[in-house]
Amino acid sequence: MGKVILTGDRPTGRLHVGHYVGSLRRRVELQNEGDYDRMYVFMADVQALTDNADNPEKIRQNIIEVALDYLAAGLDPEKCTLFIQSQIPELSELTTYLMNLITVSRVQRNPTVKTEIKMRNFEANIPLGFFCYPVSQAADITLFKANIVPAGEDQEPMLEVTRELVNRFNNTYGPVLVEPSIMLPPEGACRRLPGIDGKAKMSKSLGNCIYLSETADEVWQKVRSMYTDPEHVNLNDPGHVEGNMVFTYLDAFSTDQDFADFWPEYKNLDELKDHYRRGGLGDMKCKKFLNKVLNRTLEPMRERRHEFEKDIPEVYNILKKGTESAREVAACTIDEVRHAMRIDYFNDAELIAEQAERFASKQQ
Ligand code: TRP
């Protein structure tokens, strides 16, 4: 069996450096390693609407932002199919069939859904579409027969639901769908990069994100204001690197090459951390280094973004072409699904002949 990689994002805002180290960087590597048969990255606008029903404009605006972030990060439409979820009606169809193969209580047990319901204060007023999104996500994955889904830990419950639905579908109707497994990001600081204020989550409302599309100056202002170690007051005080955002970000971004190029006094991050812990190393020096490290990644992205921004209609065209090619695959799977479920009436010569005979015999 071939390798089919698929993953997506809800287009509810611009992507930030947390998205980059958590998933985008790995996607671009996977794409460039080329060890797969097909690779899809899509914008889950239908899923985004499940908790933004009254604000479709937000989604509409962010499609292009996320598309530019993808292209800037190095996703290449020649190698990887980029598409928009809502433009693949086969997804809704498969979702409908899958909904019959799972119970309400099974969805209720999904820990990610539970947390999100709390976070959004839905309580007794959970939109039904929101409640069902794990099933729709199973359709996203199975319609393309993806077997590898790069995603964060929080998506594991969705993958569990997907595998259960694949088994139930295949046992009930025949082997059509493929069981996927999750590909988690590498260990360490990358799994969940905190905000620049040291709060656990990067979020737009907390204003603690560094966006991929920010200018070098905006990034420097944010790096300068980063939360470090409140006990590291005087230069010679010993410092803490745990919970210190400068070091957390260096964990996620810096390489030995960065030290060789920008700060050859240290061979690697361990040496820098040792010095910081001993005392005698100022925050500002570390921040300046982090800024260089970040810029090494962000500057080429800015340049690529700038190029794509010159021809926005072409970016929509890239999405349109990707969506068309995704739809071809979607249509094939839906044909197989309908055939397995035996609801492909018009293609079912046997059914038509059988019924013709049954009714013919009645006539005599
Ligand atoms: N739930 C994912 C998120 O919130 C987005 C998503 C939708 C997704 N469908 C998917 C991710 C299928 C991987 C595979 O980011």
Side-chain angles (χ1 to χ4, degrees):
M1 192 177 51
K3 262 196 197 174
V4 180
I5 304 175
L6 174 140
T7 189
D9 302 281
R10 298 179 192 182
T12 51
R14 293 186 285 165
L15 302 183
H16 51 61
V17 293
H19 293 118
Y20 184 72
V21 292
S23 63
L24 210 44
R25 179 165 65 188
R26 186 76 192 106
R27 291 180 199 173
V28 176
E29 285 167 5
L30 283 170
Q31 168 198 277
N32 294 336
E33 286 160 12
D35 179 24
Y36 55 82
D37 297 295
R38 288 178 284 131
M39 177 164 174
Y40 300 94
V41 176
F42 74 102
M43 282 169 251
D45 61 336
V46 175
Q47 191 174 110
L49 284 164
T50 65
D51 63 338
N52 285 286
D54 53 358
N55 198 0
E57 187 58 23
K58 174 166 135 193
I59 313 301
R60 183 165 173 266
Q61 294 299 330
N62 279 307
I63 290 275
I64 189 73
E65 294 287 350
V66 174
L68 286 165
D69 287 333
Y70 283 168
L71 294 165
L75 289 180
D76 175 352
E78 297 290 319
K79 297 180 184 159
C80 150
T81 306
L82 303 175
F83 71 88
I84 305 180
Q85 187 185 26
S86 61
Q87 307 307 299
I88 313 271
E90 289 81 1
L91 281 171
S92 315
E93 182 173 342
L94 183 56
T95 304
T96 307
Y97 303 144
L98 294 179
M99 281 202 278
N100 301 329
L101 303 173
I102 188 169
T103 63
V104 169
S105 66
R106 176 66 188 89
V107 178
Q108 260 162 348
R109 282 204 311 276
N110 184 311
T112 302
V113 174
K114 271 194 193 162
T115 319
E116 288 177 330
I117 287 171
K118 272 210 199 93
M119 259 165 45
R120 289 166 178 70
N121 293 320
F122 280 152
E123 275 126 33
N125 298 307
I126 309 166
L128 189 54
F130 178 83
F131 184 78
C132 296
Y133 96 71
V135 184
S136 134
Q137 188 158 337
D140 300 338
I141 296 166
T142 54
L143 188 61
F144 299 97
K145 301 196 178 178
N147 47 9
I148 301 171
V149 177
E153 265 166 85
D154 60 328
Q155 298 300 304
E156 183 56 37
M158 307 302 158
L159 271 286
E160 261 168 50
V161 165
T162 307
R163 285 188 290 267
E164 283 176 31
L165 283 167
V166 167
N167 284 313
R168 199 138 316 137
F169 186 97
N170 290 351
N171 291 332
T172 311
Y173 304 121
V176 174
L177 304 182
V178 175
E179 258 194 71
S181 50
I182 195 164
M183 181 190 253
L184 292 170
E187 287 293 337
C190 308
R191 284 213 174 167
R192 178 156 287 200
L193 195 71
I196 55 169
D197 55 0
K199 300 234 167 77
K201 206 174 143 61
M202 263 202 195
S203 88
K204 192 159 96 186
S205 50
L206 294 173
N208 61 0
C209 310
I210 297 178
Y211 294 100
L212 300 179
S213 49
E214 280 180 307
T215 65
D217 194 50
E218 286 166 327
V219 172
W220 170 236
Q221 293 313 322
K222 291 192 175 172
V223 170
R224 243 174 51 155
S225 71
M226 258 186 186
Y227 178 84
T228 57
D229 173 10
E231 290 167 44
H232 187 242
V233 186
N234 300 308
L235 183 66
N236 289 318
D237 291 342
H240 296 92
V241 299
E242 287 76 28
N244 181 324
M245 289 311 107
V246 174
F247 287 93
T248 304
Y249 279 57
L250 285 175
D251 273 329
F253 275 95
S254 73
T255 62
D256 293 355
Q257 192 59 47
D258 292 324
F259 282 93
D261 295 340
F262 304 133
W263 215 356
E265 280 163 81
Y266 306 92
K267 254 216 269 340
N268 52 41
L269 187 54
D270 287 333
E271 283 189 7
L272 183 72
K273 284 181 177 174
D274 283 342
H275 191 181
Y276 192 82
R277 286 198 188 97
R278 284 197 306 273
L281 177 60
D283 280 354
M284 205 36 121
K285 274 191 172 169
C286 300
K287 285 179 171 174
K288 282 192 177 147
F289 174 63
L290 171 61
N291 192 52
K292 286 186 187 151
V293 170
L294 285 176
N295 257 320
R296 176 173 254 176
T297 301
L298 295 178
E299 190 52 34
M301 292 176 51
R302 282 185 203 110
E303 282 165 18
R304 268 196 298 268
R305 193 179 228 275
H306 187 70
E307 285 309 304
F308 283 108
E309 282 176 356
K310 287 185 191 157
D311 193 355
I312 291 296
E314 177 53 22
V315 176
Y316 281 102
N317 199 33
I318 288 171
L319 299 178
K320 184 168 176 231
K321 282 204 219 128
T323 303
E324 281 163 3
S325 111
R327 253 201 106 173
E328 284 174 24
V329 175
C332 286
T333 310
I334 276 295
D335 280 346
E336 291 176 55
V337 162
R338 292 185 185 182
H339 180 68
M341 294 175 71
R342 316 228 50 195
I343 56 171
D344 56 339
Y345 314 112
F346 304 140
N347 296 331
D348 191 343
E350 198 188 319
L351 169 75
I352 296 169
E354 212 177 86
Q355 298 299 343
E357 201 177 313
R358 190 160 72 83
F359 283 91
S361 60
K362 247 170 72 177
Q363 304 243 312
Q364 284 154 18

